[in-house]
Each structure stands twice: as structure tokens, then as C-alpha cells.
């Protein structure tokens, strides 16, 4: 197996996409583990490539598993809940800012 660290492409949105090999290297995991993450719906590839936010998610999952002893599903649930909480906080903040404006 060879690693192609320079294998990046640009998505239609203008964001860089990275190979599974690169993601495995920077997250200190394996391509097989990443494929399991895809099969379980924990990360979503773009074809055979990954967004940087997917790579960040992999790193966060690895950290939750290592530092807190969470299993894979538990770590993914923690990240999903954290994302949902952040979205709800943003919605509350937007709602509050609209309520403070005079009519």
C-alpha cells in the first residue's frame, strides 16, 4: 500500500478534499477503520475523498475513545449532540437578537 499525501482535490464548493490515506495518516488510524466509519454513517465521504471537517470528526472520535474510553457509537453520539447544541444556541441567539430590535 502506498500513501499519496499530496492527493487532494477541490470540491465544487471550492473546498479541499483529502484522500483516505491522508486522513488515516493524520488521525493515526487506518484506512480500514475509516471504511468502517463510512459504513456506519459516522463520516460521509465525497466519492473517495473526505472534507476537512470529516477528518476533524475522525480525530475528535479518536480522542473521545482514547481519553474518555467511549465506544465508537458513543463518541459519534457525543459529537452529534455537541453539534446540535451549537446549532440550537445559534438559533436562540438569533431569536433573542430579533426580539431586542424595536419594531
Amino acid at each position: 500500500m502506498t500513501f499519496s499525501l499530496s492527493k487532494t482535490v477541490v470540491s465544487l464548493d471550492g473546498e479541499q478534499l483529502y484522500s483516505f490515506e491522508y486522513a488515516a495518516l493524520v488521525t493515526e488510524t487506518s484506512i480500514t477503520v475509516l471504511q468502517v466509519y463510512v459504513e456506519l454513517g459516522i463520516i460521509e465521504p465525497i466519492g473517495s475523498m473526505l472534507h476537512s471537517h470529516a477528518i476533524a470528526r475522525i480525530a475528535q472520535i479518536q480522542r473521545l475513545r482514547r481519553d474518555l474510553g467511549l465506544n465508537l457509537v458513543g463518541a459519534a453520539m457525543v459529537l452529534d449532540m455537541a453539534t446540535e447544541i451549537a446549532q440550537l444556541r445559534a438559533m436562540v441567539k438569533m431569536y433573542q437578537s430579533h426580539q431586542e430590535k424595536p419594531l
Side-chain angles (χ1 to χ4, degrees):
M1 176 185 316
T2 61
F3 289 100
S4 51
L5 298 180
S6 62
K7 186 174 180 184
T8 60
V9 296
V10 178
S11 72
L12 296 175
D13 300 342
E15 293 185 52
Q16 263 195 321
L17 301 175
Y18 302 90
S19 67
F20 274 69
E21 292 87 1
Y22 177 80
L25 183 65
V26 299
T27 60
E28 298 178 351
T29 189
S30 69
I31 295 170
T32 304
V33 167
L34 299 183
Q35 290 169 337
V36 170
Y37 286 14
V38 170
E39 290 171 10
L40 294 174
I42 293 172
I43 58 172
E44 295 182 26
I46 308 297
S48 62
M49 305 296 279
L50 295 169
H51 271 280
S52 59
H53 60 77
I55 296 173
R57 182 175 171 87
I58 295 162
Q60 291 170 326
I61 287 171
Q62 295 296 93
R63 191 170 56 249
L64 288 168
R65 295 185 75 198
R66 181 187 63 240
D67 296 348
L68 299 179
L70 297 178
N71 65 23
L72 181 58
V73 174
M77 287 177 63
V78 165
L79 292 180
D80 291 343
M81 287 189 293
T83 299
E84 188 170 341
I85 289 169
Q87 291 170 343
L88 289 170
R89 285 181 176 163
M91 289 172 59
V92 167
K93 187 175 181 178
M94 184 175 55
Y95 175 76
Q96 288 173 338
S97 69
H98 286 304
Q99 293 296 321
E100 293 172 359
K101 291 181 182 178
L103 298 177

